[in-house]
Amino acid sequence: MAARLLFDLNFGRRHKKQRVYRHFKLCRPTLRSLSLSAINQVEIALRYFATGDNMKTVVDTLGFHKSSVSRSVHDVSQALTDVSPKFIKWPSTTREKMAIKKGFYGIAGFPAVIGAVDGTHVRIIAPSEHESVYVNCKGFHSINTQAICDHEGRFTNTVGKWPGSNHDSFIFRGSNVGTDLEVHHRGIDVDGVLLGDSGYACGRYLVTPFLRPVNQAQQNYNAAHTRTRAVIERCFGWWKRRFMALHGEIKVKPERVSKIIVACAVLHNIALDRKETMAEDDNGIACDEEDLGGVAVQPRNDNIRQFIVDNYF
């Protein structure tokens, strides 16, 4: 599996004479025979991502020194982060956008959806610097990770660098996608809309549910919105179950945690591309267990939401 991943990511090539895998970032700058190969490093990192074991457990299981395990996890995470634009891509062409809109519409009849957005918290050990800003509303330290996914649960955008005390809407407004949509959004018929929960502000490119629906049409809208947006909750659930390192407490510095988050997002998309199966919970749906929700934000612009209600529900 490690060798296959190296080729998928263009990490390495197999030399015809030496029969070894080489990678310019994962090869150690030494001629010593005991240096870790690229495959060894990927195997170590995959073991850590998948099990969530602490470094000592990985050391005892695989027989490598703790410093080698730590360095391998960091280097593989960095390498995956570097190639993330190849695997985590925002839809840019009309064809890509239409395919996503059609996929979302097939879930519950909600029109023009280009993605579902939400935040999830990845637990971390208390950092030595700025410790208080990493404490979220549930009282534990975390990185608040924003993600946008398509109808298949594939990540199209991830932001995994903000301390847990930051609100989802703040992270979205400061993200590349949020900034770009604010400036360049050309309308629901061209660029579509994102679906977010009530923790986001309703606007011309992001629509939220009605807090107090006053008629049947608004209730129908809310029901379709909930069913359609559930894909991001399932996506987070699959992601954390596949990579248990995200499900427990990551005991490294926040900046390294951010790279692990992006690395696991890349691997999640690769798993979907390969049609890897994912076990679900007892209800048939894998869901996010660390979604903390958020304080409801008042709508800034309700015209698009009411337009959708009037024409589709």
Side-chain angles (χ1 to χ4, degrees):
M1 180 177 180
R4 175 71 179 275
L5 181 60
L6 286 172
F7 282 116
D8 282 358
L9 301 178
N10 294 322
F11 272 5
R13 59 184 178 84
R14 194 171 184 179
H15 195 278
K16 292 182 179 180
K17 293 182 178 180
Q18 294 183 343
R19 298 295 181 183
V20 295
Y21 290 92
R22 299 187 181 277
H23 178 251
F24 69 98
K25 290 186 177 180
L26 295 182
C27 281
R28 301 302 186 200
T30 177
L31 298 178
R32 294 173 59 186
S33 60
L34 296 180
S35 62
L36 290 178
S37 67
I39 290 182
N40 287 149
Q41 295 172 65
V42 173
E43 288 175 338
I44 290 171
L46 290 178
R47 170 81 183 193
Y48 174 75
F49 297 154
T51 63
D53 292 336
N54 59 43
M55 297 295 181
K56 187 177 185 305
T57 302
V58 177
V59 167
D60 294 340
T61 302
L62 300 181
F64 297 108
H65 192 272
K66 183 178 180 179
S67 62
S68 297
V69 171
S70 177
R71 188 163 54 247
S72 295
V73 171
H74 175 261
D75 289 350
V76 172
S77 297
Q78 180 65 64
L80 286 166
T81 299
D82 291 343
V83 299
S84 61
K86 178 180 176 181
F87 296 93
I88 304 175
K89 297 182 290 186
W90 185 254
S92 57
T93 67
T94 301
R95 184 175 181 178
E96 291 173 339
K97 292 177 181 178
M98 288 301 297
I100 293 175
K101 290 178 184 179
K102 183 178 179 180
F104 273 117
Y105 186 80
I107 297 175
F110 204 105
V113 179
I114 199 66
V117 60
D118 202 1
T120 188
H121 288 258
V122 175
R123 294 173 181 249
I124 64 171
I125 192 171
S128 57
E129 298 181 359
H130 310 294
E131 177 268 340
S132 61
V133 300
Y134 288 91
V135 179
N136 60 40
C137 62
K138 289 290 187 179
F140 61 84
H141 299 84
S142 68
I143 298 290
N144 192 356
T145 302
Q146 174 189 284
I148 303 174
C149 74
D150 64 14
H151 58 290
E152 295 180 331
R154 181 178 288 99
F155 290 124
T156 56
N157 179 261
T158 57
V159 180
K161 63 181 181 179
W162 290 97
S165 62
N166 288 279
H167 193 276
D168 290 352
S169 61
F170 169 81
I171 296 174
F172 178 76
R173 288 196 304 271
S175 67
N176 291 336
V177 169
T179 302
D180 184 72
L181 289 175
E182 184 67 33
V183 176
H184 300 113
H185 188 261
R186 295 168 293 177
I188 185 174
D189 55 333
V190 179
D191 291 327
V193 294
L194 296 173
L195 299 187
D197 61 22
S198 56
Y200 295 91
C202 185
R204 55 193 174 88
Y205 50 82
L206 192 157
V207 295
T208 61
F210 288 93
L211 294 179
R212 299 176 184 84
V214 297
N215 54 45
Q216 187 61 48
Q218 290 185 0
Q219 292 178 10
N220 294 341
Y221 165 96
N222 275 7
H225 186 287
T226 299
R227 287 182 57 195
T228 306
R229 201 189 68 84
V231 66
I232 186 65
E233 301 293 345
R234 291 196 295 271
C235 178
F236 283 147
W238 293 332
W239 189 40
K240 289 187 176 183
R241 282 167 172 75
R242 180 173 274 124
F243 303 107
M244 294 300 292
L246 304 176
H247 204 59
E249 183 181 68
I250 302 181
K251 298 181 179 180
V252 297
K253 294 181 178 180
E255 55 269 24
R256 289 200 172 194
V257 175
S258 297
K259 297 184 187 302
I260 291 173
I261 289 170
V262 175
C264 290
V266 170
L267 294 173
H268 169 83
N269 281 4
I270 291 174
L272 287 181
D273 291 340
R274 291 190 186 178
K275 310 296 183 184
E276 295 284 347
T277 59
M278 184 66 211
E280 297 181 336
D281 64 11
D282 294 336
N283 296 320
I285 298 176
C287 59
D288 179 26
E289 296 176 357
E290 286 294 353
D291 182 20
L292 304 183
V295 178
V297 177
Q298 292 300 318
R300 291 181 299 167
N301 185 334
D302 204 27
N303 294 335
I304 296 298
R305 183 166 63 175
Q306 193 58 49
F307 171 84
I308 295 173
V309 170
D310 294 341
N311 288 275
Y312 292 92
F313 298 100

